[in-house]
């Protein structure tokens, strides 16, 4: 559907328009980084550490350097005087001292710290020659004890970094510890759980890739890279690592096949390629193989948490106390420090008016791949903590889980939580009630009886999530340690014929921006969708923007575009006033037409745009020629989408196999631009969240530090037959109060709300307090037999 629905009151907004970008993807003409082949293209591969923790005692590259086709071999020796990869968020300890920030080298120098750590870069004429030369590199290692178990990072006596002898990066706290401890003194009931939020590999369908070229004519660089925020990539690489003048670097993120957070960060691979491209005076391409991606992509989650919930005799929440140990891996990745703190602990209020909350987070270094943001980034971990506790408390108290939630829902807004956020709006009862209706909770007892007649166990679990997204505002983020602004930029370029090109600092890698952003522009300007092009991902074309993550694109990037459109319309009114011989204050703009209020005098948008480029047709002494405007937008608050998810499972007690029989997701995303795209985003998130709950788990050998789940033979990805038909509905929600579109984020909700719903359902089926994630058949079978 690409035409305006004549029955739609809001024009293009709210319409399920088919994604315009899908044609090129489905017909195989999308252009990803690996599709870009430059003149005199060469290829790079990396030598990686086979050990989790070791000193490099010998590194001999002579044979590799002399191999056929090899253009250069580079090691940590070449980068030892170059800056390390920076962390973008400063977290302070409880005592006010800053976190430990050991250098994160582009290539390892002297020591390797996880299996897959980069040791050397080989550049050759062909990929085959580069791989052959890689096998000629001789490395001797003095293997050291590995730090793997986050529950006891001092067990081996080894330090991942000399700067952190106890392997602790920081010890951080938020909330009212004394007040929370006092609340527990008055509790009639306390629920306690200890659990692990399992480690995940991001597994975007397109692996990480880069193609870097140096131009000798002006000493400039161009980097094509699978990345979610090209301007930030350029800034970090230029200013903090390589020292390249920023205006001498162009970063292009073309079509990107998924990111889920793993392509936000600055990695050593593309940094090394940029530097080496000048040394060999040739463009260098590198594309990760899947096994390489498992080893070296930033992983997600990996928390160990003990939580306690204090309640009065009627189940009203009095206090919530949380202690979490978070795994950062071997190095601080770009946003690693913020995920288990600012993006996690600030959401521990959930949808509930718990008066006192206290959370302490200890983040530790281990000899594993770096851990950073993965779809949801802290919010899934927070929701899992809150919703597992609430469901468990309900069963312990003998109160219906929905009723216990209702007794504690926040009902008045704005609401300032005890952990630093202010929810602007919400209606948690509405999503709960609708989810219960859609899930046919009333019929659950009959379905349970049918399962029992077959020798099966059936359970039902709730999850009432909330997330803070539209990641910003800069002032708040800065006060909490962010080392960069979190605004967004938009430029609207109206051509003489009335066609429009929009440049956005947001980046699309599956979100559908080329459709939804165009819908916003078409609705605002009253022009056909086909007259609008959305450009993104090229620092050579677009204003400095912060990219896409944290469900921020429409709320922040879309609002920047709207503000630029407002400027276009304001200038258009002045030009129209001249053409219509009226005061600009009398000009109205609606459905693509400027008109004089109260008259039939009008001029279409295309006429005004043409006039803007013919200066003698309007008072150019008062107005500049052209119709091109830009805007930056920095929100005053986060957006707070929320919802209720209900999962129903059937468990085979003989095998431990869990079948998700029914899954209902009811969300409040505020105003919705494209319902079909929103539903697709929720579906994708549910697949990843249910995958975490039942199947996915990055596992390292606790002694050697070897990744045991380094391929799809061992890392279980969910498949279509692992899911039921999802019942997904977006309620007529509570619009965000502080952006003009009234939108909230939707891209991460499914991954945030679903894991606790699944585990709560399994626990209900088995009548147990906890089942660890992932609830594999073996894990569930052991749980059943431990009960007997």
């Amino acid at each position: 559907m690409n035409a305006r629905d004549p029955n739609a009151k809001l024009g293009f907004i709210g319409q399920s328009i088919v994604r315009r970008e899908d044609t090129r993807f489905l017909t195989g003409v999308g252009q990803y980084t690996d599709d870009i082949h430059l003149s005199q293209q060469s290829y790079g591969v990396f030598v990686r550490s086979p050990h989790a923790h070791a000193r490099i005692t010998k590194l001999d590259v002579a044979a590799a350097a002399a191999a056929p086709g090899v253009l250069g071999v580079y090691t940590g020796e070449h980068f030892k005087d170059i800056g390390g990869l920076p962390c973008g968020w400063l977290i302070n300890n409880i005592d006010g001292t800053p976190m430990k920030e050991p250098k994160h080298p582009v290539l390892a120098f002297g020591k390797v710290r996880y299996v897959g750590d980069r040791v050397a870069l080989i550049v050759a004429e062909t990929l085959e020659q580069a791989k052959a030369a890689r096998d000629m590199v001789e490395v001797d290692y003095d293997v050291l004890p590995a730090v793997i178990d986050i529950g006891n990072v001092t067990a081996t006596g080894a330090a991942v970094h000399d700067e952190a002898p106890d392997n602790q990066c920081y010890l951080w706290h938020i909330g009212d510890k004394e007040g929370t401890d006092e609340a527990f003194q008055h509790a009639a009931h306390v629920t306690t759980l200890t659990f692990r939020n399992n480690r995940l590999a991001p597994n975007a369908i397109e692996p990480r890739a880069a193609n870097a070229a140096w131009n000798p004519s002006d000493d400039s660089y161009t980097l094509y890279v699978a990345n979610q925020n090209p301007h930030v990539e350029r800034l970090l690489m230029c200013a903090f690592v390589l020292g390249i003048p920023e205006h001498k670097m162009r970063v292009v993120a073309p079509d990107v096949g998924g990111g889920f957070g793993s392509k936000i960060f600055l990695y050593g691979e593309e940094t090394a390629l940029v530097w080496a491209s000048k040394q060999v005076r040739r463009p260098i391409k590198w594309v990760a193989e899947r096994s390489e991606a498992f080893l070296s992509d930033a992983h997600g989650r990996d928390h160990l948490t003990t939580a306690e919930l204090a309640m009065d005799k009627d189940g009203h929440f009095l206090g919530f106390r949380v202690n979490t140990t978070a795994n950062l891996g071997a190095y601080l990745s770009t946003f690693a420090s913020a995920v288990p703190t600012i993006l996690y602990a600030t959401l521990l209020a959930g949808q509930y008016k718990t008066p006192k909350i206290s959370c302490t987070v200890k983040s530790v270094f281990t000899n594993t791949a770096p851990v950073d943001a993965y779809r949801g980034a802290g919010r899934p971990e927070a929701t899992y903590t809150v919703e597992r506790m609430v469901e468990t408390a309900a069963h312990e108290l003998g109160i219906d889980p929905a009723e216990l939630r209702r007794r504690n829902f926040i009902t008045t807004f704005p609401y300032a939580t005890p952990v630093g956020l202010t929810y602007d709006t919400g209606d948690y009862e509405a999503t709960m009630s609708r989810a219960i209706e859609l899930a046919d909770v009333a019929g659950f007892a009959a379905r349970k009886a049918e399962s029992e007649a077959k020798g099966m166990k059936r359970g039902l679990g709730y999850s009432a999530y909330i997330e803070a997204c539209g990641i910003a505002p800069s002032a708040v983020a800065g006060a909490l340690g962010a080392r960069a602004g979190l605004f967004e930029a938009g430029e609207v370029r109206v051509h003489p014929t009335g066609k429009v090109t929009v440049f956005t600092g947001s980046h699309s890698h599956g979100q559908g921006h080329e459709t939804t952003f165009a819908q916003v522009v078409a609705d605002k300007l009253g022009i056909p969708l086909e007259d609008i092009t959305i450009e993104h991902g090229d620092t050579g074309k677009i204003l400095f923007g912060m990219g896409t993550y944290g469900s921020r694109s429409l709320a922040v990037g879309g609002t920047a575009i709207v503000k630029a459109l407002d400027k276009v319309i304001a200038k258009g009114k002045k030009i129209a006033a001249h053409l219509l011989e009226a005061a600009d204050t009398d000009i109205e703009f609606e459905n693509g037409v400027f008109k004089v209020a109260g008259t039939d005098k009008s001029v279409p948008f295309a006429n005004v745009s043409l006039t803007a480029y013919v200066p003698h047709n309007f008072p150019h002494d008062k107005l500049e020629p052209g119709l091109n405007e830009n805007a930056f937008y920095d929100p005053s608050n986060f957006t707070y989408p929320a919802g209720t998810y209900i999962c129903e499972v059937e468990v085979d007690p003989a095998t431990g196999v869990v079948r998700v029989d029914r899954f209902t997701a009811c969300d409040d995303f505020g105003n919705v631009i494209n319902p079909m795209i929103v539903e697709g985003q929720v579906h994708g998130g549910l697949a990843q969240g249910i995958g975490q709950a039942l199947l996915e788990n990055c596992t390292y050998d606790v002694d050697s530090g070897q990744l045991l789940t380094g391929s799809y033979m061992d890392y279980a990805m969910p498949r279509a037959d692992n899911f039921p038909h999802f019942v997904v509905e977006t309620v007529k929600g509570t619009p965000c109060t502080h952006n003009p579109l009234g939108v909230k984020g939707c891209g991460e909700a499914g991954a945030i709300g679903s894991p606790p719903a699944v585990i709560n359902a399994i626990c209900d089926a088995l009548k147990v307090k906890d089942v660890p994630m992932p609830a594999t058949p073996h894990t569930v079978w052991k749980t059943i037999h431990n009960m007997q």
Side-chain angles (χ1 to χ4, degrees):
M1 171 179 163
N2 288 324
R4 183 191 297 273
D5 182 347
N7 298 315
K9 295 181 180 179
L10 294 178
F12 286 102
I13 289 180
Q15 300 297 299
S16 290
I17 293 172
V18 174
R19 295 195 342 163
R20 303 196 298 170
E21 48 269 72
D22 283 351
T23 298
R24 72 175 185 271
F25 297 145
L26 294 173
T27 57
V29 295
Q31 187 169 71
Y32 299 88
T33 298
D34 192 29
D35 295 319
I36 296 168
H37 187 86
L38 303 176
S39 177
Q40 293 188 304
Q41 185 72 66
S42 67
Y43 297 85
V45 298
F46 289 89
V47 177
R48 296 185 181 275
S49 170
H51 302 291
H53 197 196
R55 292 187 185 90
I56 300 173
T57 58
K58 176 186 175 183
L59 180 52
D60 187 346
V61 300
V70 170
L71 301 173
V73 180
Y74 306 102
T75 69
E77 182 71 30
H78 295 93
F79 291 89
K80 66 179 182 180
D81 296 323
I82 288 175
L85 307 179
C87 179
W89 208 294
L90 172 66
I91 297 297
N92 288 322
N93 288 287
I94 293 173
D95 64 7
T97 58
M99 66 186 185
K100 301 288 175 55
E101 288 189 81
K103 183 177 180 179
H104 186 176
V106 176
L107 297 178
F109 181 67
K111 194 177 185 184
V112 292
R113 292 180 170 88
Y114 65 99
V115 175
D117 206 353
R118 299 171 298 273
V119 175
L121 166 64
I122 314 290
V123 182
E125 295 279 2
T126 69
L127 181 59
E128 292 73 18
Q129 289 172 330
K131 288 182 175 181
R134 178 174 58 189
D135 295 337
M136 299 178 188
V137 175
E138 296 182 25
V139 190
D140 289 343
Y141 297 96
D142 176 17
V143 178
L144 302 170
V147 179
I148 303 296
D149 181 8
I150 64 170
N152 191 359
V153 292
T154 59
T156 66
V160 180
H161 299 280
D162 294 342
E163 297 91 331
D166 58 357
N167 294 312
Q168 182 172 294
C169 180
Y170 57 78
L171 183 66
W172 179 87
H173 178 267
I174 192 171
D176 181 354
K177 184 180 185 305
E178 291 75 18
T180 303
D181 291 345
E182 175 70 17
F184 273 77
Q185 297 299 317
H186 302 286
H189 182 84
V190 174
T191 293
T192 303
L193 273 177
T194 296
F195 48 82
R196 181 77 172 261
N197 203 296
N198 45 318
R199 186 183 185 112
L200 303 174
N203 280 307
I205 194 168
E206 178 204 22
R208 287 192 295 122
N211 195 345
W214 173 70
N215 186 343
S217 68
D218 61 357
D219 194 25
S220 67
Y221 299 80
T222 299
L223 171 65
Y224 297 92
V225 61
N227 185 267
Q228 298 176 218
N229 49 358
H231 271 293
V232 176
E233 171 98 354
R234 182 179 73 168
L235 174 63
L236 296 179
M237 188 185 297
C238 290
F240 296 96
V241 188
L242 298 181
I244 298 170
E246 194 175 3
H247 67 292
K248 292 290 188 179
M249 168 78 84
R250 178 188 175 202
V251 175
V252 181
D255 288 330
V256 173
F260 313 121
S262 68
K263 294 174 183 172
I264 299 173
F265 324 121
L266 177 65
Y267 287 92
E269 286 86 356
E270 60 258 33
T271 307
L273 260 62
V274 168
W275 180 88
S277 68
K278 185 173 182 178
Q279 311 307 310
V280 301
R281 303 175 72 87
R282 299 271 293 274
I284 311 170
K285 181 191 292 189
W286 165 80
V287 180
E289 296 181 344
R290 186 59 64 179
S291 59
E292 199 173 13
F294 271 106
L295 290 173
S296 63
D297 287 0
H299 293 166
R301 316 288 191 253
D302 208 356
H303 286 191
L304 181 62
T305 294
T306 296
E308 303 165 278
L309 179 62
M311 292 155 283
D312 67 14
K313 61 182 178 61
D314 297 316
H316 297 113
F317 302 162
L318 303 176
F320 192 34
R321 189 161 54 201
V322 178
N323 286 278
T324 292
T325 299
N327 194 347
L328 298 175
Y331 301 104
L332 279 169
S333 181
T334 308
F335 293 112
S337 55
V339 174
T341 51
I342 306 306
L343 299 180
Y344 163 67
T346 56
L347 270 299
L348 288 173
Q351 297 184 8
Y352 312 110
K353 51 191 177 186
T354 310
K356 298 294 181 181
I357 300 175
S358 173
C359 178
T360 301
V361 177
K362 178 173 74 172
S363 286
V364 297
F365 295 112
T366 62
N367 293 119
T368 63
V371 179
D372 209 319
Y374 170 71
R375 197 169 190 169
R379 282 72 54 84
E381 297 93 314
T383 296
Y384 191 81
T385 300
V386 173
E387 291 304 295
R388 285 290 294 115
M389 292 299 293
V390 172
E391 194 96 349
T392 303
H395 290 307
E396 289 181 350
L397 293 171
I399 301 174
D400 178 77
E403 171 58 25
L404 183 63
R405 288 174 168 87
R406 284 171 163 145
R407 290 183 191 181
N408 291 281
F409 274 159
I410 299 162
T411 55
T412 58
F413 297 88
Y415 178 82
T417 75
V419 279
L421 299 180
T422 298
Y423 303 164
D424 62 328
T425 185
D427 187 347
Y428 309 140
E429 174 58 38
T431 51
M432 171 72 79
S433 297
R434 183 57 177 155
I436 288 173
E437 180 183 353
L438 291 170
D440 185 24
V441 172
F444 171 72
R447 295 190 294 275
K448 183 177 178 68
E450 291 176 5
S451 294
E452 290 175 347
K454 299 183 297 182
M456 301 294 216
K457 297 179 180 292
R458 181 173 286 264
L460 185 143
Y462 291 83
S463 173
Y465 80 90
I466 188 169
E467 60 164 321
C469 56
I471 295 299
S474 296
V476 174
L480 295 173
R483 288 165 163 165
L486 290 170
F487 54 84
E488 197 46 85
E491 179 182 355
V492 177
R493 185 178 300 172
V494 183
H495 304 287
T497 57
K499 313 302 183 185
V500 175
T501 302
V502 176
F503 300 87
T504 174
S506 300
H507 186 274
S508 183
H509 40 277
Q511 294 84 356
H513 295 168
E514 293 174 36
T515 302
T516 53
F517 284 9
Q519 287 180 251
V520 171
V521 176
D523 193 84
K524 189 84 170 174
L525 296 182
I527 61 176
L529 210 63
E530 294 79 6
D531 288 357
I532 302 161
T533 297
I534 307 296
E535 295 278 355
H536 62 90
D538 187 343
T539 64
K541 294 181 178 179
I542 59 177
L543 299 170
F544 190 101
M546 298 306 294
T548 293
Y549 42 85
S551 301
R552 71 192 303 269
S553 295
L554 195 57
V556 188
T559 298
I561 292 170
V562 168
K563 289 184 170 295
L565 288 167
D566 288 340
K567 295 179 181 181
V568 166
I569 292 169
K571 184 173 181 179
K573 285 182 177 180
K574 294 179 180 180
I575 296 172
H578 176 76
L579 293 175
L580 298 171
E581 299 180 333
D584 57 357
T585 54
D586 293 332
I587 301 297
E588 297 175 342
F589 181 69
E590 187 177 9
N591 293 324
V593 175
F594 294 93
K595 63 181 180 179
V596 180
T599 75
D600 60 357
K601 297 175 64 177
S602 65
V603 59
F605 179 76
N607 286 26
V608 169
S609 66
L610 181 61
T611 302
Y613 291 92
V614 186
H616 60 267
N617 284 343
F618 70 91
H620 55 276
D621 56 327
K622 297 180 181 179
L623 290 174
E624 294 179 350
L627 200 53
N628 182 36
E629 300 289 348
N630 63 61
F632 288 82
Y633 175 63
D634 198 343
S636 59
N637 196 358
F638 300 99
T639 68
Y640 298 98
T644 295
Y645 291 177
I646 300 176
C647 178
E648 199 167 314
V649 301
E650 191 174 65
V651 181
D652 184 344
T655 64
V657 171
V658 175
R659 181 175 66 88
V660 178
D661 185 52
R662 303 161 75 96
F663 200 102
T664 301
C666 190
D667 301 285
D668 174 2
F669 294 133
N671 293 335
V672 173
I673 304 300
N674 187 313
M676 179 184 65
I677 288 179
V678 166
E679 183 173 351
Q681 288 287 307
V682 174
H683 276 226
L686 292 177
Q688 287 178 284
I690 295 171
Q692 175 178 10
L694 295 179
L695 298 162
E696 298 184 50
N697 193 30
C698 267
T699 302
Y700 285 88
D701 181 83
V702 72
D703 295 317
S704 69
Q706 293 294 326
L707 180 63
L708 303 178
T709 50
S711 76
Y712 290 135
M713 294 293 291
D714 302 297
Y715 187 95
M717 292 284 283
R719 303 182 182 189
D721 60 0
N722 294 120
F723 307 118
H725 171 74
F726 296 136
V727 178
V728 174
E729 183 172 297
T730 301
V731 300
K732 186 176 181 181
T734 54
C736 176
T737 61
H738 55 79
N739 69 61
L741 293 169
V743 296
K744 305 176 183 180
C746 71
E748 297 166 298
I752 291 169
S754 55
V758 174
I759 298 301
N760 285 339
I762 297 171
C763 290
D764 180 55
L766 302 183
K767 303 306 176 190
V768 296
K769 189 170 183 176
D770 190 36
V771 175
M773 287 199 295
T776 62
H778 180 62
T779 296
V780 174
W781 185 86
K782 284 199 305 181
T783 301
I784 293 169
H785 283 265
N786 287 339
M787 296 162 50
Q788 297 174 351

